[in-house]
């Protein structure tokens, strides 16, 4: 979206003359600003303000809602399956192109853990974030209304697997929300809830540095959150989380945030990939060895020109080792998109392309309301200053003034009024009430 947004500005005259066409293909008609998903799950931001509608911000581009299922770069065509082609069974549209920008991002990386696929919840989309919020509040309702202690304990046990940004921020925000919501339940106390973070390595939030990672562990444990390092999830069959350290937790909630992998369309493209499945790219964001193909973001393995040069193998005269790649995060993706758009414009106009180089500025992470950690330009912050920096940074990065103003207004109102703690789980099954009424022949409220 960022690449198309910049192309729309840079190629304004060509688009007006219809000399150029920019086509954006995506399964959703919006872009999700993922750093705001934890706050959307906690109710601090409305779900519709976490997404940016493509047709509104890209009025001069052609937006196709569909999924690319195959790419024939030799013939310069992409096969796109849209909602309409699924209905009429035509097998997909054939979209021709001159320049290909393949930036599908990443998807959740799951492991063959028994029971995970059947009972786990991801945290990559706004639908998952809101579904998880509704689910957590529903568990409080279940715990408050049951007389079975086993059901109550399982409802109040929440297991998060993965100690990166997504897992830690989602757990911290939802624990904050659930602790606040518990005051409105006459028989549920915050101490009754078990929040468990499972991380396979010896640290969490590696992006903010070792010291801030240790502080984050201390902060979470001070809130009675059970942080288990160097521990793996062995199984989740029959809603029982079994860990590698021998612990067993009957839990109705298991959130899986243990890493991501490149989108499957990368493998279907036939373009050169690295061992980890990302597109092998040059510093100019071209797909290595392929003309008219570009990439950026999580799906692209772009050499980091600001990193220390790799050591030479076999002595000072030997060949240099592979250069370190840019980390797959939003900080690089947004900046790569701008360089990518500028390079496409230069290629179209016969100019010269430039290499992408950005020295990593640092990282910020939220640990709930008024709590956070940050490691920015060598400086370490924690607590309220880090939380404030986290909000201001992401407010500056979310696209369009419209979204910035709406998010800021919601934050302001959230500081003046109490949180909303209502669960709208029925939104996930909007026809349930109608089907009940049609099946029974009476209005569901009649009883």
């Amino acid at each position: 979206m960022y690449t198309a947004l910049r192309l729309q500005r840079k190629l304004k005259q060509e688009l007006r003359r219809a000399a150029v066409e920019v086509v954006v293909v995506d399964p959703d008609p919006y872009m999700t600003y993922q750093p705001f998903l934890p706050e959307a799950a906690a109710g601090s931001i409305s779900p519709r303000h976490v997404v940016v509608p493509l047709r509104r911000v890209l009025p001069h581009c052609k937006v196709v809602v569909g999924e690319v299922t195959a790419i024939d770069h030799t013939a310069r065509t992409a096969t796109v399956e849209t909602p309409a082609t699924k209905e009429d069974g035509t097998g997909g549209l054939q979209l021709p192109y001159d320049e290909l920008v393949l930036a599908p991002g990443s998807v959740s990386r799951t492991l063959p853990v028994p029971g995970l696929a059947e009972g786990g919840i991801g945290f990559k989309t706004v639908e998952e974030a809101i579904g998880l919020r509704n689910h957590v509040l529903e568990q409080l309702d279940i715990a408050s209304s049951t007389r079975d202690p086993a059901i109550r304990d399982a409802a109040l046990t929440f297991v998060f697997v993965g100690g990166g940004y997504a897992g830690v921020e989602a757990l911290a925000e939802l624990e904050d929300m659930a602790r606040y919501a518990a005051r409105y339940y006459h028989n549920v106390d915050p101490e009754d809830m078990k929040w468990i973070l499972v991380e396979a390595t010896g640290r969490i939030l590696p992006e903010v540095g070792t010291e801030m990672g240790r502080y984050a562990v201390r902060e979470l444990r001070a809130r009675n959150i059970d942080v288990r390092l160097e521990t793996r999830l062995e199984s989740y069959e029959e809603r029982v989380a079994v860990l590698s350290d021998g612990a067993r937790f009957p839990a109705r909630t298991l959130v899986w945030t243990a890493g991501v992998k490149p989108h499957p369309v990368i493998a279907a493209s036939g373009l050169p990939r690295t061992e980890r499945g990302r597109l092998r790219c040059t510093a100019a964001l071209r797909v290595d060895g392929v003309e008219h193909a570009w990439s950026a973001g999580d799906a692209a393995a772009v050499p980091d020109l600001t990193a220390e040069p790799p050591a030479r193998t076999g002595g000072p005269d030997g060949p240099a080792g592979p250069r370190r790649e840019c980390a797959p995060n939003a900080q690089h993706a947004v900046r790569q998109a701008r360089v990518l758009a500028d390079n496409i414009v230069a290629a179209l106009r016969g100019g010269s392309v430039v290499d992408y180089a950005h020295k990593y500025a640092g990282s910020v992470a939220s640990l709930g309301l008024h709590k956070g950690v940050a490691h920015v330009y060598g400086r370490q912050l924690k607590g309220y200053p880090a939380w404030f920096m986290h909000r201001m940074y992401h407010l500056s990065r979310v696209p369009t003034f419209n979204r910035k103003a709406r998010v800021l207004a919601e934050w302001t109102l959230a500081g003046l009024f109490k949180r909303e703690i209502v669960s709208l789980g029925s939104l996930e099954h909007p026809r349930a009430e109608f089907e009940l009424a049609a099946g029974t022949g009476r209005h569901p409220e009649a009883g």
Side-chain angles (χ1 to χ4, degrees), residues 32 71 107 144 156 167 181 204 233 256 279 285 308 414 418 425 427:
T32 303
I71 295 173
V107 297
S144 176
L156 294 179
I204 65 172
L233 177 70
W256 180 267
L279 285 172
L285 304 173
E308 290 293 328
K418 296 180 179 180
L427 290 177

Side-chain angles (χ1 to χ4, degrees), residues 8-72:
Q8 183 178 254
R9 295 170 183 166
K10 291 280 187 176
L11 298 174
K12 186 180 297 183
Q13 298 300 326
E14 289 89 339
L15 286 167
R16 189 173 297 169
R17 300 196 311 267
V20 168
E21 183 180 43
V22 180
V23 182
V24 179
V25 182
D26 196 271
D28 300 308
Y30 54 79
M31 184 209 76
T32 303
Y33 191 74
Q34 292 188 352
F36 278 159
L37 287 183
E39 293 205 47
S44 299
I45 301 177
S46 172
R48 65 184 184 278
H49 298 157
V50 177
V51 299
V52 181
L54 296 180
R55 288 188 174 89
R56 176 181 291 178
V57 299
L58 301 173
H60 304 298
C61 301
K62 179 182 178 181
V63 177
V64 177
V65 176
E67 187 172 0
V68 175
T69 56
I71 295 173
D72 184 351

Side-chain angles (χ1 to χ4, degrees), residues 427-444:
L427 290 177
E428 298 160 31
H429 308 284
R431 295 190 67 247
E433 289 293 326
F434 182 80
E435 289 172 351
L436 177 63
T440 60
R442 62 186 179 91
H443 196 279

Side-chain angles (χ1 to χ4, degrees), residues 310-342:
R312 294 185 176 274
T313 57
D317 297 328
R323 184 177 284 273
R324 196 172 70 186
E325 299 170 357
C326 294
N329 55 40
Q331 185 175 148
H332 281 301
V334 172
R335 289 172 171 83
Q336 287 172 359
R338 296 170 184 163
V339 176
L340 172 53
D342 291 343

Side-chain angles (χ1 to χ4, degrees), residues 149-390:
I151 293 178
R152 175 185 169 88
D153 288 345
L156 294 179
T157 301
F158 307 92
V159 180
F160 286 68
V161 182
Y165 276 128
V168 172
E169 291 192 339
L171 181 149
E173 291 283 357
L174 284 166
E175 189 273 340
D176 232 4
M177 178 202 71
R179 183 158 28 85
Y180 176 87
R183 69 180 66 181
Y184 297 101
Y185 291 82
H186 70 282
N187 57 351
V188 176
D189 295 322
E191 293 76 20
D192 298 335
M193 293 183 278
K194 296 177 185 175
W195 294 82
I196 302 154
L197 178 63
V198 180
E199 168 55 38
T201 67
R203 55 193 276 191
I204 65 172
L205 297 175
E207 298 87 353
V208 299
T210 304
E211 185 176 340
M212 286 295 97
R214 285 197 294 262
Y215 167 81
V217 171
R218 293 196 302 270
E219 167 67 24
L220 294 176
R221 285 175 174 166
R223 291 159 56 179
N224 205 29
I225 296 173
D226 186 355
V227 180
R228 295 179 176 245
L229 303 177
E230 298 182 344
T231 307
R232 298 178 306 280
L233 177 70
E234 296 288 344
S235 71
Y236 185 56
E237 294 179 301
E238 298 181 356
R239 288 184 171 179
V240 177
V242 180
L243 307 184
S244 59
D245 59 4
R248 296 170 59 90
F249 296 100
R252 294 174 59 89
T253 306
L254 186 134
V255 183
W256 180 267
T257 61
V260 295
K261 63 181 179 181
H263 195 284
V265 73
I266 297 296
S269 69
L271 298 174
R273 296 177 292 153
T274 65
E275 293 179 355
R276 295 188 176 183
R278 300 165 73 191
L279 285 172
R280 186 180 292 110
C281 296
T282 67
L285 304 173
R286 292 184 189 269
V287 177
D288 195 15
V290 181
E291 292 294 322
H292 309 291
W294 312 75
S295 185
D298 287 7
V302 180
D304 187 355
L305 300 184
T306 65
E308 290 293 328
R312 294 185 176 274
T313 57
D317 297 328
R323 184 177 284 273
R324 196 172 70 186
E325 299 170 357
C326 294
N329 55 40
Q331 185 175 148
H332 281 301
V334 172
R335 289 172 171 83
Q336 287 172 359
R338 296 170 184 163
V339 176
L340 172 53
D342 291 343
N343 283 348
I344 290 177
V345 172
L348 292 177
R349 293 175 176 172
S352 57
V353 300
V354 299
D355 289 341
Y356 170 77
H358 168 67
K359 190 170 181 61
Y360 195 59
S363 299
V364 291
S366 169
L367 299 179
L369 192 62
H370 300 158
K371 298 174 284 289
V373 290
H375 189 181
V376 182
Y377 294 116
R379 298 192 62 182
Q380 296 178 344
L381 299 173
K382 57 188 178 182
Y384 185 88
W387 171 82
F388 184 78
M389 178 176 287
H390 171 270

